Amino acid sequence: MKSILLSVIIFFGFLSVSLAQYVIKGKVTDIETGDPIPFASVILKGTKVGITTDFEGNYTISTSVKADSLQVSYVGYISQSKPVVYSQTILINFQLVPSTFNLSEFVFESGENPAFPIIRKAVEMKEKFDKRNLTAYESENYTKIELDLDEVEGAFKERNQVKKVIAVMDSIKQLTNDEGKKILPVFFSETYSKFYFRTDPLLKKEVIENSKLSGVGITDGTTVSQITGSAFQEYNFYRNWLTIVEKEFVSPIADGWKTFYDYDLMDSVMVGEDFCYMLKVYPLREQDLAFTGTIWIKKEDYALKQVDLTIPKSANLNFIERIKIQQELVATDAGPLLPSKTRVLIKISKITENTVGLLAKFYNSGQNFIVNNPKPPSFYFQAIQLKEDFGKGTEEFWQSVRPEQLSDQEIVSRQMVDTLSRIPVIRFYSEGIKFLGTGFLPVGKVDLGPWTGLLNYNNVEGLRLGAGLRTNLKFSNKYVLSGYLAYGFADNQVKYFLSGTKILDRKRWTTIQLNTQREIDQVGLEIENLSLNSIFLAASRFGTLNKPYYAKYYRLITQREVFKGFNLTAGFTRKEFDPVFDFNYLDETTGTYQSRFDLAQVNLGIRYGKDEVNIINDNYRVSLGPVKWPVFDFRFTQGLNSLGGDINYQKYVLSVYQKLNLGLIGVSRYELRSGFVRGTVPYPLLENHIGNETIFYTTVAFNLMNFNEFASDRFASLSYRHSFEGFGLNWIPLIKKLKWRAVANANVLWGSVSDKNLMNSSDLDEEGNPIPAFGRLDQDLPYIEVGYGIENIFKFFRVDFFHRLTYLDNPGANSFGVKVSAQIIL
């Protein structure tokens, strides 16, 4: 009996051992960036027991099967195995090394690629699953951003200032990339927001409920918080083209997918509760703006389940070594898909060996989706809004809204950012960079600058020295005071600008400003007209000035955003025109020629941008530009022969600007401009079309027109610019390695001027007889110039070749010209 009992105990003992459940868990990350690797295959080697990692790179395997080692593999990474030491709970983490995927690894047999029917069906089903088919949706979003200086090594590391930083960092755990090179975090943010989207009319709104950020050079978080939310982290692969870093990339399930991609059916796998096709995608031409990576398409309805896509270094981009996008999508009750989690990595390479690279990491998680419940259009008035108690979230709050707690590396990164921002040498350099970028240096409650006005030299003023300042948000969030003072040592004249602004309403951006200014200006190159092209403006004020005059202004300006995208500006201007060059105009009241005049003007402006995005930068509103629709701008001026004014006239100007994303063939930009002047006026009040006699290319001028060659009282112009973004040149074997990009230009101007306005303003010949001071366009013959060129030469330079097609008999006209410029583009 004892023998039988002992045998039973031994049997069940062996049975319990054989059926023992082991739990193996861990996390799979990228050794280069420390980011999780979702969708990786984790399997007990030699068995069929395995699982894929979730979006955070985590895995858990519960099994009674034993194996000597655990293997992790994923396309784009070198597989890795680790031994398993069995206990009740086993923790095994993996750090995978990126590898290069080669097209030659796949060989297709005759017949249709088996991946093609799957992609074809997924494209057919796009209409059903595209989130743009929802009337509206809203979600609660958590967004995390980290910026790191990458590869802090070599000559850069040996600089004295950098050594001081590294010494301070030794007290904190060092972060390294896969080659053991130091990474220095410089920015870390977390944002919790509510995002709202409406389809008809197309409107977006994000309410930033809380934001927690720290960064080198960040003195006030309100401005930065407006661009760290989810509104700028949208990636919809159901669109044919996705905008990333201001470039257009073709989706793997675009309508014209066969033109750009090839595919390979890798496997059929379970992803959560869905059986999916796993497909490898890669561009047909390595330099196209297209993705390589893996997509998962549900077998049941051909909806996208998840994507893991990379834009490789070979793509025609500057400075960017890699862009990686991982996204997980969920179905809504209405059918269309919404992204539940998105992770983006942008790696910017070192420009030279003595510099550093940059890692930008973005993570966004959406939850609690509500669909097809649109808010009234008025709700979306302010596209980005900070909640009233913004920034008051406790650590307990952040722990409750994070989809996953911060990793050890992220905690260290945040500590390092806080430490770096307090190091004097870092603060010195960060403030210096901001000074060069913005033109102003913050000092307490004022900003000193701009630096572009500190030193100048021209034939009228000689050496010119100046200095200025403006108040900032620390001084007041309702009042802005600004001004500058300058002195020319040749003309012995003082120039100045004084301004006071009151912000009446920050939500509907309403301001009123009063300013006065005395400055030297140029006919056709006025400061007001060139304020948005600061480089060309600064260049035009060096050397020999073009028909210069002293101008004294008094201005009253008020503006308000009446409704979303619609801005109204009104004001009054008093101006004194005192020329430094030979100038005469006929005063119709006295019948005599005068050399100076005074103006009293009423000004009205209307601007409408349907989808233009604006943010509040301290006490200023900044436009981030339109997304799709054109921007309309109308300006009206009424000159008065009262209130100190000498001339009664009206001037109307309408302009339309739009950026057109044309997919495969690149990006176009056009500007239509038209206007007319009613009344008899001196020619400085006509439309003096901007010429360019320099060797530098600019978009604000007619590049083969001479200064003051033409003026009009009725005109219409078209400026068209196109960048082919590598289209065509990417297909030429030798040229494509240079990553050059073709560009094209066309400028057309129609205009005319009445006889009265032609002769009203005049120069005098040697005998004192009046002669026209400018050229007149034939209303039946437009001025036309066309151009073509190459940009991205050595990543920075651009060369344009222009042909002038009309008015070749004009004095000094050139039928051909070469213009150069430098630019930083991706």
Side-chain angles (χ1 to χ4, degrees):
M1 189 68 181
K2 289 181 180 180
S3 174
I4 294 174
L5 182 59
L6 182 61
S7 298
V8 171
I9 292 173
I10 293 173
F11 171 76
F12 279 103
F14 277 115
L15 182 63
S16 65
V17 171
S18 64
L19 295 179
Q21 288 290 313
Y22 299 97
V23 177
I24 307 174
K25 60 173 59 176
K27 188 165 189 170
V28 181
T29 58
D30 185 315
I31 196 172
E32 181 176 311
T33 65
D35 287 338
I37 299 178
F39 327 134
S41 175
V42 185
I43 191 169
L44 286 168
K45 205 166 184 178
T47 74
K48 294 184 178 181
V49 177
I51 198 171
T52 58
T53 57
D54 63 18
F55 196 81
E56 310 302 335
N58 299 313
Y59 72 90
T60 300
I61 299 176
S62 298
T63 181
S64 59
V65 177
K66 281 190 172 184
D68 293 335
S69 59
L70 188 69
Q71 184 180 50
V72 174
S73 60
Y74 187 58
V75 175
Y77 290 88
I78 299 172
S79 297
Q80 188 179 125
S81 297
K82 286 189 176 182
V84 180
V85 178
Y86 282 88
S87 59
Q88 196 61 37
T89 301
I90 306 159
L91 179 66
I92 304 178
N93 295 323
F94 290 87
Q95 289 182 304
L96 300 188
V97 178
S99 65
T100 302
F101 175 83
N102 296 315
L103 178 61
S104 58
E105 295 177 15
F106 295 96
V107 178
F108 300 110
E109 298 178 357
S110 59
E112 185 179 41
N113 183 336
F116 285 4
I118 300 171
I119 294 295
R120 189 178 297 116
K121 191 67 176 177
V123 173
E124 291 175 2
M125 300 296 289
K126 282 172 61 177
E127 187 73 16
K128 178 180 178 181
F129 298 116
D130 190 343
K131 66 182 182 180
R132 291 175 294 176
N133 289 317
L134 295 167
T135 59
Y137 67 86
E138 57 189 83
S139 62
E140 297 176 12
N141 286 17
Y142 168 84
T143 307
K144 180 171 56 182
I145 300 176
E146 180 181 337
L147 302 179
D148 306 317
L149 295 183
D150 185 31
E151 299 184 273
V152 186
E153 291 293 322
F156 181 85
K157 181 183 174 183
E158 296 304 315
R159 296 177 180 177
N160 290 332
Q161 295 85 353
V162 179
K163 284 183 177 179
K164 295 176 182 178
V165 175
I166 297 298
V168 174
M169 295 291 87
D170 285 342
S171 61
I172 304 177
K173 177 184 175 183
Q174 292 286 357
L175 300 178
T176 62
N177 62 14
D178 57 319
E179 298 173 352
K181 298 176 181 177
K182 288 182 173 59
I183 293 176
L184 292 180
V186 293
F187 179 86
F188 192 92
S189 74
E190 295 179 276
T191 304
Y192 179 72
S193 63
K194 290 186 178 179
F195 182 76
Y196 304 86
F197 177 91
R198 176 179 173 135
T199 305
D200 187 20
L202 182 61
L203 297 168
K204 299 178 183 179
K205 180 183 182 71
E206 183 169 26
V207 179
I208 309 294
E209 300 213 341
N210 253 308
S211 182
K212 182 179 182 180
L213 60 87
S214 55
V216 175
I218 302 296
T219 56
D220 177 74
T222 57
T223 301
V224 179
S225 296
Q226 295 174 77
I227 59 174
T228 57
S230 61
F232 298 93
Q233 313 300 326
E234 185 184 26
Y235 304 92
N236 182 7
F237 287 92
Y238 277 95
R239 297 183 58 181
N240 289 329
W241 296 86
L242 289 80
T243 303
I244 307 172
V245 292
E246 294 298 314
K247 297 289 185 180
E248 299 294 312
F249 295 84
V250 61
S251 168
I253 56 171
D255 292 338
W257 52 275
K258 258 192 176 181
T259 306
F260 302 95
Y261 286 102
D262 210 339
Y263 307 79
D264 188 73
L265 178 59
M266 303 286 290
D267 202 353
S268 297
V269 295
M270 288 296 296
V271 180
E273 298 179 354
D274 298 307
F275 192 65
C276 298
Y277 298 112
M278 178 179 174
L279 295 95
K280 176 69 187 180
V281 304
Y282 39 88
L284 292 174
R285 294 167 295 275
E286 62 179 5
Q287 288 193 318
D288 279 0
L289 299 185
F291 300 94
T292 181
T294 310
I295 61 176
W296 289 259
I297 296 176
K298 291 168 62 176
K299 186 176 182 180
E300 177 186 3
D301 54 13
Y302 294 91
L304 270 182
K305 176 68 176 180
Q306 56 195 25
V307 303
D308 187 355
L309 298 170
T310 299
I311 301 166
K313 187 177 182 179
S314 58
N316 196 331
L317 289 171
N318 288 329
F319 315 118
I320 293 180
E321 191 169 318
R322 180 162 56 122
I323 300 177
K324 189 178 184 66
I325 301 176
Q326 298 165 325
Q327 190 174 81
E328 187 176 76
L329 297 105
V330 296
T332 63
D333 295 337
L337 307 177
L338 290 172
S340 60
K341 293 179 181 178
T342 304
R343 183 181 292 109
V344 180
L345 165 74
I346 300 176
K347 184 173 183 180
I348 299 176
S349 58
K350 296 170 27 172
I351 297 177
T352 69
E353 287 302 316
N354 294 329
T355 59
V356 293
L358 181 70
L359 283 175
K361 296 186 278 188
F362 307 85
Y363 173 87
N364 179 259
S365 173
Q367 59 182 346
N368 297 330
F369 297 107
I370 300 175
V371 300
N372 294 338
N373 184 26
K375 307 285 186 184
S378 59
F379 172 80
Y380 303 87
F381 179 84
Q382 191 171 351
I384 301 175
Q385 178 182 339
L386 299 180
K387 199 176 179 181
E388 290 185 4
D389 58 349
F390 154 82
K392 297 181 180 179
T394 62
E395 185 58 33
E396 290 74 20
F397 166 82
W398 288 108
Q399 289 180 2
S400 68
V401 299
R402 290 173 184 140
E404 185 176 83
Q405 295 308 303
L406 298 180
S407 66
D408 291 342
Q409 177 169 337
E410 289 170 333
I411 293 173
V412 171
S413 295
R414 193 167 63 177
Q415 290 177 332
M416 292 179 73
V417 171
D418 291 336
T419 303
L420 278 172
S421 61
R422 293 192 295 268
I423 298 176
V425 66
I426 293 293
R427 293 179 63 183
F428 174 80
Y429 277 98
S430 64
E431 292 299 328
I433 293 172
K434 287 171 63 177
F435 179 51
L436 292 175
T438 65
F440 288 88
L441 178 66
V443 179
K445 295 182 179 182
V446 298
D447 301 336
L448 304 180
W451 62 264
T452 53
L454 297 178
L455 177 67
N456 207 318
Y457 185 87
N458 57 64
N459 64 313
V460 177
E461 299 174 287
L463 176 65
R464 168 176 164 151
L465 300 178
L469 58 81
R470 67 185 184 189
T471 60
N472 55 38
L473 199 64
K474 294 180 180 179
F475 174 82
S476 172
N477 66 346
K478 292 184 178 180
Y479 295 93
V480 181
L481 305 177
S482 62
Y484 69 76
L485 192 66
Y487 181 77
F489 287 86
D491 64 353
N492 298 316
Q493 295 287 324
V494 174
K495 293 85 181 178
Y496 58 82
F497 175 76
L498 296 172
S499 173
T501 303
K502 182 175 182 180
I503 302 173
L504 302 173
D505 187 342
R506 299 181 74 92
K507 182 179 180 181
R508 288 185 176 265
W509 197 249
T510 306
T511 66
I512 184 169
Q513 181 185 104
L514 182 66
N515 67 57
T516 181
Q517 182 179 28
R518 186 176 190 274
E519 189 52 273
I520 189 164
D521 225 328
Q522 302 172 82
V523 174
L525 295 172
E526 276 81 7
I527 296 173
E528 285 185 309
N529 298 332
L530 298 179
S531 60
L532 297 180
N533 197 297
S534 57
I535 295 177
F536 185 67
L537 173 61
S540 70
R541 300 182 67 78
F542 273 87
T544 301
L545 299 186
N546 175 66
K547 298 194 174 181
Y549 64 93
Y550 290 104
K552 193 171 184 179
Y553 295 89
Y554 302 92
R555 303 183 187 93
L556 174 66
I557 306 169
T558 182
Q559 63 172 320
R560 179 174 175 82
E561 185 173 19
V562 181
F563 57 86
K564 182 175 173 55
F566 186 89
N567 294 274
L568 182 64
T569 304
F572 175 80
T573 300
R574 176 80 165 77
K575 177 181 178 180
E576 300 174 4
F577 180 94
D578 187 7
V580 183
F581 64 101
D582 289 334
F583 168 77
N584 291 276
Y585 84 98
L586 180 63
D587 187 333
E588 293 185 325
T589 303
T590 62
T592 60
Y593 281 94
Q594 305 293 327
S595 61
R596 65 177 307 282
F597 57 83
D598 295 335
L599 293 175
Q601 299 178 158
V602 176
N603 309 106
L604 175 68
I606 300 173
R607 178 182 176 89
Y608 179 61
K610 182 176 181 179
D611 59 357
E612 190 172 20
V613 178
N614 296 283
I615 64 171
I616 307 301
N617 180 17
D618 293 341
N619 286 329
Y620 301 90
R621 196 165 86 143
V622 180
S623 171
L624 300 182
V627 178
K628 177 182 177 182
W629 297 95
V631 174
F632 298 87
D633 193 293
F634 173 74
R635 302 288 166 181
F636 168 72
T637 301
Q638 172 67 62
L640 306 172
N641 54 4
S642 59
L643 300 178
D646 297 330
I647 303 168
N648 189 322
Y649 76 102
Q650 299 87 40
K651 186 172 184 178
Y652 307 80
V653 179
L654 173 67
S655 62
V656 182
Y657 167 81
Q658 188 176 16
K659 176 183 176 183
L660 301 171
N661 296 319
L662 302 181
L664 175 64
I665 62 175
V667 178
S668 287
R669 294 171 175 84
Y670 74 83
E671 182 176 7
L672 289 167
R673 198 164 183 270
S674 181
F676 64 93
V677 177
R678 294 182 61 185
T680 304
V681 298
Y683 81 88
L685 300 183
L686 299 175
E687 183 70 14
N688 287 271
H689 307 295
I690 301 176
N692 181 10
E693 296 180 15
T694 74
I695 65 170
F696 301 107
Y697 167 74
T698 178
T699 60
V700 299
F702 295 91
N703 281 279
L704 287 185
M705 185 184 290
N706 294 323
F707 292 139
N708 291 117
E709 185 174 356
F710 297 108
S712 304
D713 55 21
R714 294 179 182 271
F715 65 94
S717 65
L718 168 64
S719 175
Y720 189 88
R721 310 186 304 277
H722 184 80
S723 176
F724 288 93
E725 299 289 355
F727 174 76
L729 297 183
N730 281 351
W731 304 344
I732 303 175
L734 296 179
I735 297 295
K736 71 179 183 179
K737 297 297 182 183
L738 300 173
K739 294 189 176 182
W740 287 359
R741 305 169 192 165
V743 294
N745 298 271
N747 294 314
V748 184
L749 170 65
W750 293 267
S752 65
V753 63
S754 66
D755 291 337
K756 279 190 174 182
N757 277 327
L758 181 66
M759 299 306 299
N760 175 270
S761 299
S762 63
D763 290 332
L764 301 177
D765 61 19
E766 294 179 354
E767 298 178 357
N769 298 315
I771 58 174
F774 58 91
R776 173 164 58 176
L777 287 159
D778 185 335
Q779 61 182 356
D780 297 323
L781 179 64
Y783 172 90
I784 303 174
E785 64 181 25
V786 295
Y788 50 87
I790 300 292
E791 66 179 355
N792 209 37
I793 301 172
F794 303 116
K795 297 184 179 181
F796 293 101
F797 300 104
R798 168 174 173 157
V799 178
D800 285 85
F801 305 92
F802 281 93
H803 296 270
R804 175 167 168 167
L805 305 182
T806 55
Y807 297 95
L808 300 179
D809 295 332
N810 281 12
N814 293 313
S815 61
F816 176 77
V818 180
K819 304 290 181 178
V820 298
S821 58
Q823 55 188 1
I824 299 177
I825 56 175
L826 296 178

